[in-house]
Amino acid sequence: MIYILLLIFFAFALSNCGRNSSTSEELITVDVTMSYPKKEFVLQDLFDIEYVPLETTDEFVTKSWVMDISENIILTIINTSGDILLFDRKTGKGLTKFNHKGDGPDEYLFPYNVIIDEENRQLFVNDGRKATIRVYDMEGNPIRSFKNKDKATTTRIYDYDQEYLLCEDTYTRDSAVEDDPTNTYFLLSKHDGSFRDIHIPYAERRSTFLEKKVDDITYGASPTNSGIVPYSKGWLLMEPSADTVYALQEDFSLKPYLVRTPSVQGMDPVVFLFPSVQTDRYCFMQSVEQIWDFEKKTGLPSKDLVYDQQDGRVYECIFYNADFEDGDVSMPKEYFDQEIAFYIPLDPIDLIDAHAAGKLSGRLAEIASTLHEEDNPVILIAKYKK
C-alpha cells in the first residue's frame, strides 16, 4: 500500500478562542464554525527575529526542510536522498553532512524527522519505515538504535528532557472506544525504547487522515499541523478525537487548556482545531476542515485565528514582516522548543527580486544584496521574546 501524504509546507496556523466567562481559571472555548473580524500582526512585535543565510557550496546544497534548530545548530534533511546537513546557527556555515540511507543495521530507510540533543552531542533520527530510532553523534557516526513503540506510526519526535522523547502517532487509524483508546502521544526512552503512554480520553477515534483507494494504490491526505506545541510553560497536546487540548505537566499529568465546540465526535466533515504559538497575550491556533478533492488535489480549507487574552475577543489573523514589504506572511505548522517558536524558509529568488524592487530593509536587505539565485534558503527564526 502506498500512502501519498499531501504536505502543505508553509501556512501558519492560528485559530478561534473565547473565554467562557469571568474567572481567569476558566477554560478558553473555541467555536470552529464561527467567522471573526480580522486583526493584523507584525512579526517583530511578538518575536525576536533572526536571519541565517545557509552557506552554499558543492557539498552543502539543501532545500527548505529544516528539521531542528538548537542553540548553535540548524539541521536540515533531504528526505529523498537521505542527506542530513548541519549548519552553524550564527553564521550559516556548513559544518557536517552525512548520509546513512540504506537497509543495513546502522542505516535508515526514510528519516521522518531528526532532532538535536546538543548537550549530549547526539542526533536522534526517526526512521519511520523501520519503526526505529537511530542515534548518531554530531559527525554522523552511529552510536545506538532502539525500536519504536510497537505498531506506532511515529510521525514526529521532540526532545522532551534528558530521559524521554515526546512522540506523536498521528496517522493511527485503528477504531477505539473510551475504555480502551488508542493513544496518539507517548514518551519514549532515549536509551532503550521503553515507553509510557499519555492517555487523553475520547469516545470514538477520529483520524485526521483521509484516504481513497484506486486499484491497488491508496492515496491519502491529511493536515500537516503538529499536534504537539512546545511553549514557555511546557507542552500542549491536541488529540484529534477529543474536544479538549491539554497542557502536559512536569509530573506527566494533563491539565485542560482549551475546549473546542461543537464536539469533534458529532461533526461531518470534521473541523479539527490545532493549537499553535502561545504568547503571554495571544493564543494562536488553526482550524482545518477535513475535505479533500482527490482528483483536483485541493482541499483542507483552514482559518488562522487568535484569541486576545487582553480584550477577550477572537480574530482572524494576518501576519506581516516589517523587513519585507510584500504582503502577508505564511507560517509553517511545525514548532521547535521553548525558545524558538517557528522558522520560515525564504527563497533567494524571491529575496533578490524584492531587493531589486526596494521592498526589503535592515538585515534582510543586507543579506539579499549578496545572494545568488542558486543559493540555499535564508532561514527566518522567530524566537519568543524574553
Side-chain angles (χ1 to χ4, degrees):
M1 180 180 292
I2 300 174
Y3 290 93
I4 301 177
L5 298 178
L6 302 162
L7 301 179
I8 306 169
F9 290 106
F10 318 118
F12 186 55
L14 320 167
S15 167
N16 29 13
C17 310
R19 291 279 183 185
N20 267 343
S21 60
S22 55
T23 71
S24 61
E25 294 302 316
E26 293 197 21
L27 293 178
I28 297 169
T29 58
V30 180
D31 187 336
V32 298
T33 65
M34 291 184 63
S35 297
Y36 298 100
K38 289 181 171 57
K39 188 179 183 74
E40 296 182 353
F41 293 89
V42 176
L43 288 180
Q44 286 79 355
D45 291 341
L46 295 179
F47 308 102
D48 292 325
I49 302 298
E50 294 180 12
Y51 297 106
V52 184
L54 300 183
E55 178 186 40
T56 306
T57 66
D58 290 341
E59 183 180 9
F60 286 89
V61 176
T62 187
K63 301 298 182 182
S64 57
W65 195 255
V66 174
M67 278 285 96
D68 201 4
I69 302 174
S70 65
E71 182 179 357
N72 297 296
I73 302 294
I74 296 175
L75 185 149
T76 76
I77 67 171
I78 303 176
N79 294 101
T80 52
S81 68
D83 287 345
I84 295 177
L85 303 94
L86 279 67
F87 296 85
D88 184 278
R89 175 172 163 181
K90 295 179 176 62
T91 66
K93 181 178 177 58
L95 300 174
T96 303
K97 175 183 177 181
F98 66 91
N99 188 323
H100 294 309
K101 187 171 183 177
D103 204 19
D106 294 324
E107 297 176 323
Y108 45 78
L109 281 178
F110 192 88
Y112 278 8
N113 57 334
V114 186
I115 63 168
I116 305 166
D117 182 348
E118 192 168 338
E119 183 175 348
N120 294 306
R121 296 192 56 77
Q122 295 180 351
L123 306 175
F124 289 80
V125 178
N126 176 23
D127 185 0
R129 297 279 173 83
K130 292 186 178 181
T132 299
I133 304 295
R134 304 200 177 278
V135 187
Y136 301 90
D137 65 21
M138 301 292 273
E139 286 69 48
N141 300 305
I143 299 175
R144 65 184 182 278
S145 65
F146 48 88
K147 297 299 288 184
N148 212 320
K149 176 185 172 183
D150 186 39
K151 297 182 180 179
T153 305
T154 303
T155 48
R156 291 180 178 90
I157 59 174
Y158 288 84
D159 189 10
Y160 182 73
D161 60 16
Q162 286 293 93
E163 176 64 27
Y164 288 111
L165 302 172
L166 178 57
C167 304
E168 182 178 31
D169 182 12
T170 306
Y171 299 115
T172 296
R173 295 178 298 283
D174 299 335
S175 61
V177 294
E178 194 167 11
D179 59 351
D180 185 24
T182 298
N183 295 301
T184 297
Y185 304 103
F186 59 95
L187 293 163
L188 188 71
S189 169
K190 291 181 177 180
H191 308 291
D192 60 13
S194 59
F195 66 90
R196 59 183 299 165
D197 277 320
I198 299 172
H199 174 63
I200 296 177
Y202 58 84
E204 294 183 2
R205 186 77 174 174
R206 302 302 299 263
S207 174
T208 60
F209 193 81
L210 288 172
E211 61 184 24
K212 180 179 181 180
K213 191 169 184 178
V214 179
D215 297 325
D216 293 329
I217 300 176
T218 299
Y219 298 90
S222 176
T224 57
N225 306 66
S226 175
I228 300 175
V229 178
Y231 73 119
S232 61
K233 298 178 183 179
W235 304 83
L236 296 182
L237 302 179
M238 177 272 191
E239 162 56 57
S241 307
D243 296 331
T244 302
V245 173
Y246 291 90
L248 181 62
Q249 308 295 293
E250 290 185 3
D251 62 357
F252 307 121
S253 64
L254 297 171
K255 181 180 180 180
Y257 188 78
L258 65 88
V259 177
R260 49 83 44 77
T261 62
S263 173
V264 70
Q265 295 293 329
M267 296 196 78
D268 186 18
V270 176
V271 178
F272 293 106
L273 180 66
F274 295 93
S276 184
V277 175
Q278 310 292 301
T279 71
D280 290 341
R281 177 172 174 178
Y282 297 107
C283 164
F284 293 116
M285 290 162 279
Q286 182 178 57
S287 61
V288 182
E289 189 172 7
Q290 195 181 37
I291 297 176
W292 185 262
D293 188 317
F294 284 94
E295 293 183 0
K296 296 180 180 180
K297 298 181 180 179
T298 58
L300 300 175
S302 63
K303 291 184 180 180
D304 295 343
L305 308 166
V306 61
Y307 171 71
D308 185 340
Q309 298 188 69
Q310 183 168 302
D311 66 17
R313 298 185 63 188
V314 181
Y315 303 91
E316 187 173 348
C317 298
I318 302 174
F319 266 79
Y320 296 95
N321 183 349
D323 299 325
F324 196 157
E325 185 187 342
D326 195 26
D328 60 292
V329 173
S330 295
M331 296 189 184
K333 304 174 184 182
E334 298 283 351
Y335 315 102
F336 290 103
D337 55 30
Q338 282 71 28
E339 180 209 357
I340 299 172
F342 56 87
Y343 84 96
I344 301 173
L346 303 176
D347 189 289
I349 295 177
D350 293 339
L351 293 177
I352 292 169
D353 291 345
H355 182 60
K359 294 182 177 181
L360 303 184
S361 60
R363 171 64 176 153
L364 192 56
E366 295 176 13
I367 292 172
S369 68
T370 67
L371 292 176
H372 301 282
E373 290 186 357
E374 299 300 320
D375 282 349
N376 284 327
V378 176
I379 305 302
L380 181 157
I381 301 174
K383 301 179 296 182
Y384 289 105
K385 288 184 178 292
K386 300 296 185 181

